[in-house]
Amino acid sequence: MANVIVVGAQFGDEGKAKVTDLLAKNADVVVRYQGGCNAGHTVVVDGETYKFHLIPSGALYQKTCIMGPGMVIDPERFLSEVEALGNLISVDKLRVSTTAHVTMPYHLMIDAAEEDSRGDQKIGTTKRGIGPTYADKCARSGIRVEDLLDEKVLRSKLEWMIPRKNVILERLYNLPPLKVEEVFTQYYEYGQRMAKYVSDTAAIIFNSVGQKKNILFEGAQGTLLDLDHGSYPYVTSSSPTAGGACIGAGIGPTIIDRVIGVSKAYMTRVGEGPFPTEQEGEVGDMLRQIGKAWAEVGVTTGRPRRCGWFDAVLGRYSVRINGLDCLAITKLDVLDEFDEIKICNAYRDKTTGETFKELPSIGASFKNMEPIYETFKGWKSSTSECRSYKDLPVEARKYLDFLADELDVSIAIVSVGPQRDQTIVIEDPIHGPKRVLTRST
């Protein structure tokens, strides 16, 4: 294998877990580098569905699984997930970074209250306390996993922090205050239960590199939800992009050999924010509902996903931001029943009429973009039993070839169903050729 980053190339929910699971078989170490329990990863093995929120989805192969310093961890949910998955994974190989930040009860309360107060300005947060946890991290007032293990440090930090958070809870949101002793008792107990998993994970990764072990870096969410490069403010509070793997895991960029992007054969988005190719009528309903196993519902929130056609403009942007070497296309089988299929290949500004092949801005003007489509004939036959590229219907191959040409990146993997074996490997995603930038931007 090699040292490989798997990154979502759309708005999240692209099927990264299946790709990670596929690649984890040959990995020695799997590292999740950002996000918290706002993420949802689903893996289907032998008809059984496993859902992950914090633990890396490569855990089913009994690999060393690392939750890196770039993550934010809700201890209660972590311990519940360990218990739920304990008979399926080797928890002895699970490691949590000492310096990952902890989601506290005031983060959960503030997140929910703030989102509810936004009215028509809602961001679409999962209300899992992620944003407020990262905010405290940036304000240098956060609590880290290592603090849960030290009675004096934890008490001291809570005695300083909770009175300040209570001012916000009581005066701004009319919520009951938290009591220092109650929070301390609960979270110190969590720390004692977590202690056996807590390690200097950056050192583990560094040593693994020195031992020539294969490392797989797994992100949550997707490129277009990146705090810096996504559709701000409708973004997450961390960096799911490939660059975020280095910071969130604690490694230098020189050790990365390969970056694999994951995209659906169409597009989805959960929550608020602009979505140029969204289909709200019959097409959107079909994309969302086809196939029980592929039902488009958020793993974490249970919210129906907004669905639309593939957006090649955003695809090119994602290739550029992440430096993708290849793509994995998931859920091709969802398109099997369509008479015709569309790809957005350019935008038109609804105000000025100007057209764009490359993304002009991911800022405020993004909502003014309307899609210009290329239309393809549907293949109208099942792809779920295809196991090689040549097995795919001709029209399906034309569709994929167009995507590869337009995004200027090879498609290495195609998924045609949720099961592990419903996967077509077109080229070696790990040892294939490095991408050479040829498109002018």
Side-chain angles (χ1 to χ4, degrees):
M1 197 175 162
N3 299 323
V4 177
I5 301 172
V6 176
V7 62
Q10 297 174 324
F11 288 106
D13 305 307
E14 301 95 344
K16 295 182 294 297
K18 181 179 179 180
V19 176
T20 301
D21 178 72
L22 173 70
L23 300 175
K25 182 178 181 179
N26 297 312
D28 300 301
V29 181
V30 181
V31 182
R32 181 166 161 201
Y33 57 85
Q34 50 77 227
C37 59
N38 56 334
H41 296 253
T42 302
V43 180
V44 180
V45 181
D46 298 328
E48 293 292 325
T49 299
Y50 305 103
K51 295 185 177 182
F52 299 82
H53 296 277
L54 284 164
I55 295 173
S57 52
L60 291 175
Y61 279 111
Q62 312 297 321
K63 307 294 183 176
T64 296
C65 285
I66 289 175
M67 298 166 63
M71 289 188 66
V72 293
I73 297 172
D74 182 324
E76 181 178 6
R77 290 186 179 274
F78 167 75
L79 292 166
S80 295
E81 193 167 333
V82 167
E83 182 179 355
L85 296 171
N87 62 332
L88 302 171
I89 66 175
S90 176
V91 293
D92 292 338
K93 294 185 176 181
L94 181 62
R95 296 291 179 265
V96 180
S97 172
T98 56
T99 57
H101 278 248
V102 178
T103 296
M104 302 297 291
Y106 44 80
H107 294 137
L108 297 165
M109 295 170 72
I110 291 171
D111 194 10
E114 186 172 90
E115 179 72 356
D116 290 341
S117 72
R118 286 179 178 270
D120 60 4
Q121 301 295 316
K122 289 184 185 297
I123 292 174
T125 172
T126 59
K127 301 182 180 180
R128 297 294 173 89
I130 307 302
T133 309
Y134 275 114
D136 276 358
K137 175 181 179 177
C138 293
R140 295 165 294 181
S141 58
I143 291 175
R144 306 204 293 189
V145 169
E146 62 186 357
D147 299 330
L148 299 183
L149 310 182
D150 189 313
E151 183 176 1
K152 291 182 179 179
V153 170
L154 180 59
R155 187 185 294 277
S156 175
K157 287 194 172 186
L158 290 176
E159 287 175 346
W160 183 86
M161 177 62 75
I162 286 181
R164 287 159 175 78
K165 296 299 183 184
N166 281 342
V167 172
I168 297 172
L169 293 172
E170 292 183 277
R171 299 185 185 180
L172 187 57
Y173 296 119
N174 197 31
L175 292 171
L178 292 166
K179 296 180 179 179
V180 172
E181 194 60 32
E182 289 181 1
V183 175
F184 167 78
T185 300
Q186 182 180 21
Y187 278 75
Y188 183 67
E189 191 268 336
Y190 286 153
Q192 300 312 294
R193 292 167 62 189
M194 292 176 64
K196 61 184 176 181
Y197 305 111
V198 178
S199 300
D200 180 351
T201 58
I204 295 173
I205 297 169
F206 180 79
N207 291 333
S208 297
V209 172
Q211 296 164 13
K212 306 298 183 184
K213 291 186 176 181
N214 299 318
I215 307 173
L216 185 61
F217 298 90
E218 171 189 358
Q221 291 91 35
T223 298
L224 300 167
L225 296 184
D226 186 275
L227 181 61
D228 294 300
H229 303 292
S231 55
Y232 191 89
Y234 306 101
V235 293
T236 193
S237 301
S238 57
S239 295
T241 45
C246 296
I247 297 171
I251 48 95
T254 54
I255 79 150
I256 300 301
D257 299 304
R258 193 89 168 150
V259 183
I260 301 172
V262 185
S263 291
K264 285 176 180 168
Y266 51 104
M267 207 131 186
T268 63
R269 179 168 197 165
V270 172
E272 309 300 322
F275 183 178
T277 63
E278 181 175 11
Q279 301 295 302
E280 296 182 317
E282 181 181 357
V283 169
D285 291 340
M286 282 184 67
L287 289 169
R288 187 163 40 250
Q289 295 170 4
I290 289 175
K292 291 182 180 179
W294 278 134
E296 289 294 0
V297 177
V299 176
T300 298
T301 63
R303 294 178 294 189
R305 292 174 183 153
R306 300 156 62 192
C307 297
W309 297 121
F310 192 98
D311 190 329
V313 181
L314 291 181
R316 295 183 198 108
Y317 177 76
S318 188
V319 169
R320 171 165 60 88
I321 291 295
N322 292 293
L324 298 183
D325 291 300
C326 64
L327 273 174
I329 299 293
T330 64
K331 300 193 177 184
L332 182 71
D333 55 302
V334 173
L335 302 180
D336 289 350
E337 298 182 22
F338 286 85
D339 294 319
E340 63 177 30
I341 302 163
K342 296 183 179 182
I343 295 174
C344 168
N345 199 33
Y347 289 158
R348 181 182 295 109
D349 189 308
K350 289 183 284 189
T351 303
T352 67
E354 188 177 0
T355 61
F356 303 92
K357 288 276 286 185
E358 304 293 338
L359 186 66
S361 169
I362 196 71
S365 64
F366 184 44
K367 64 184 178 181
N368 292 326
M369 299 298 155
E370 62 180 5
I372 300 173
Y373 289 115
E374 298 271 354
T375 302
F376 297 80
K377 181 181 178 182
W379 41 94
K380 300 292 288 183
S381 61
S382 175
T383 58
S384 62
E385 299 299 322
C386 296
R387 295 296 181 269
S388 70
Y389 187 67
K390 67 180 181 180
D391 292 340
L392 290 171
V394 172
E395 298 301 334
R397 280 181 272 157
K398 288 181 179 178
Y399 181 80
L400 293 172
D401 289 346
F402 182 86
L403 288 181
D405 288 342
E406 286 300 310
L407 272 58
D408 193 27
V409 67
S410 65
I411 295 174
I413 297 171
V414 178
S415 173
V416 291
Q419 297 290 340
R420 274 178 174 169
D421 66 344
Q422 290 180 297
T423 307
I424 297 169
V425 178
I426 300 173
E427 69 173 42
D428 186 339
I430 305 302
H431 301 107
K434 289 290 288 182
R435 177 176 177 269
V436 177
L437 182 64
T438 58
R439 183 182 295 276
S440 173
T441 57

